[in-house]
Amino acid sequence: MNARPDLFSAETLDNTGRRRFLQKASAAGGLILVAGYAGGQAAEPKKYGADGMPNGWVDDALVFVSLAADGTVGIVCHRSEMGQGVRTSMPMIVADELEADWKRVKVIQAPGDEKRYGNQDTDGSRSTRHFFMPMRTCGAAARMMLESAAAERWKVPVGEVQAKNHEVVHAKSGRKLGYGQLAAAAARQPVPSRDQVKLKDPSQFRYIGKSNIKLVDGRDIVTGKAVYGQDVRLPGMLYAVVARPEVYLGKVVSVDASAAMTVPGVVKVVQIEPSAPPANFNPLGGVAVVAKNTWAALQGRKALKIVWDDGPNASYDSKAYRATMEAAARAPGKVVRNEGDFDAAYAKAAKRVQADYFLPHLAHATMEPPAAAARIVGGKCEVWSSVQSPQAARDLVAKRLGLDPSNVKVNVTLLGGGFGRKSKPDFCVEAAVVSKAMDGKPVKVIWTREDDLHHDYLHTVSAEHLEAGLDEGGKCVAWLHRSVAPTILSTFVDGAKNQFNIELGMTLLQAAPTIPNIRIENPEAAAHTRIGWFRSVSNVPHAFATQSFIAEMAAAAGKDHRDYLLELIGPPQRIDTRKQGDDWNHGEDPERYPMDTGRLRQVIERATREAGWGRSMPKGSGLGLAATYTFVTYVAAVAQVEVDAAGNVKVPRIDVAVDCGGVINPERIESQVEGAAVMGMGIALFNEVSFKNGRVEQSNLNDFDLARISTSPVDIRVHIIPGDYSKPLGGVGEPAVPPIAPAICNAIFAATGKRIRQLPVRGQAKA
């Protein structure tokens, strides 16, 4: 019997009841196991995590496994693929527990649908850590059902049969049955409850923890067959570009489209109304030019004559605002953590250290700028796009068009990079609005690189002020940290000026546990542009400041930086982050995920050992160290730099030690850490977005610089510390970014004696 195609369509995997679903699958000649896991125990209280997954178990319909009569296994991936390998790593977890032959596995991309798939936001470095156990359990349950079906057919005890590489084997008789032969019978077996499921011992893993599985999309990517948001083509599709206000919250006063309409190929000019503040993920508004091809649309946009009202941010100047922020950082602000008596301890300190650090706005600058295609047929809207949050896209499109969300479908393509930008689907709403104006015809809205840089949800600008008091032996007895940054909350709450608990919990509240007197403050800062999460978010500025400052404290104490950092961390202990004022803990239960200083010490010791810490370095060369706990993962980086007489900085080597717990896909961990190292280097040396008269001054990669092949580290060494699969996993995609910039800047000091306190380094490294 051939495989039923509908068994492998995400459309058939709806959120029906378990019995009805299995009966339906059985009638089709196959098995579909649904849920995150279809075992049926009551969900635990949703205490931690934005998606209500406090301990790695999920009981809603979140994992889908299908088995057709020809033996083909379909595994739905409900998260977005943007280079992190989620379409490979998550299905291979199911396949391993299922004892499936990977060559017979088909990966199906889920559309956006919260009722069907649960939370689909691909962010927070949480996809694998939240779905490792549900996917293992679902695969194991399907394996047990296949074994039960075979035992029933052979009339032997189920303990005598074993699933192995896509077959069920009865060793005593030598009989074998392929998975396809058992699919219908397995569908009639009772689904084992969670406490009945028998997971593999890690020694039996065939895929998990190994690098023997190639990327599902690898061949298509390298041969140009892969479909990204910019690649979508629909019959009769039109193309659109949008003239958006150059100043945040600006509006169109008037538009003269007569010249644009004379451009060959231009079909229509459509005005997009802005949404009322706050920004949320809605379009900025503006004027769309719709044409038969992209070139015509671009030329039509150039011909538009628009009068703009620049609005309340017309005078925003990032250089002037930096001075405002730095002044705020030097004055008392909202106290967010206060232990002991900082003022008294600081006054009595034998030595005092102070420093100010600054990071500019950062743009995501994904390789693929945003793009979305939409069409409306019969009162239903369908969208194709490279989005990290397809459910947000679905909901926002439905709201803007006045449709029920059930009448909106968002198809997820591959993402040419995301870094948090594509969690904000304003470009999907634009496509839907323009399609509606074109009577439902398919329209693809394309963002140019200039559009992307001018209208990003930028990483926030940040000013950090730190003070420390040291005793006679150089030990830190008092710590003050003031962090000033426009908050991401301003994107959702009009007028928000203080960082909220998630931002505060990102390497700000977690001062070293050995310091007895701590005060952490958060003065206000107003937002003058859209602010959005960026890879590792507020960990980037907070870690740059704290890890750079600790190096300065070590120098003031006359001690080796590594030794001083380990002394500051103290002996191994497990800390409930709530005792540090952090009630977020990267979305995880602090009882299951305490901050483990022993693991932090271990990555520091591993990275410094591998990098040869303490070895003699040539003139103009140096090693720098930084370490962080982010997204419940521990990372330490040692950067080696070379600085020439002109102050030009090269980073020939970076060693990164990472402890994320159990290792699922080593190759992808290495790849993500390598990418994080390159991105962190770009933040340190090149990246900057500045404003004048409310407008972004950079336009393209000629003036918004990135780490390129010629400037990236030649040698990035990733040292993975293996963990226990029975314990909670950490994240991987983001944790390696924060320590890179401070490690590089600390290495510059080791090479030149020059302290770097503002990014990018550009021009500051000359001794």
Side-chain angles (χ1 to χ4, degrees), residues 106-126:
K106 179 177 181 179
V107 179
I108 306 155
Q109 186 65 45
D113 189 337
E114 186 169 7
K115 289 183 179 179
R116 189 184 301 175
Y117 303 109
N119 183 288
Q120 292 177 261
D121 290 346
T122 310
D123 57 24
S125 299
R126 56 187 173 158

Side-chain angles (χ1 to χ4, degrees), residues 136-196:
R136 283 190 71 187
T137 309
C138 202
R143 165 173 45 84
M144 293 173 65
M145 293 166 71
L146 287 161
E147 290 173 335
S148 295
E152 186 177 90
R153 181 173 299 186
W154 290 327
K155 297 183 175 10
V156 299
V158 71
E160 291 185 3
V161 304
Q162 182 181 11
K164 191 172 183 179
N165 196 28
H166 233 80
E167 295 178 324
V168 179
V169 179
H170 184 236
K172 286 186 177 180
S173 64
R175 286 177 289 183
K176 298 180 180 179
L177 284 171
Y179 278 7
Q181 295 172 281
L182 291 166
R188 293 190 289 270
Q189 295 294 318
V191 181
S193 63
R194 182 192 298 174
D195 56 3
Q196 293 175 324

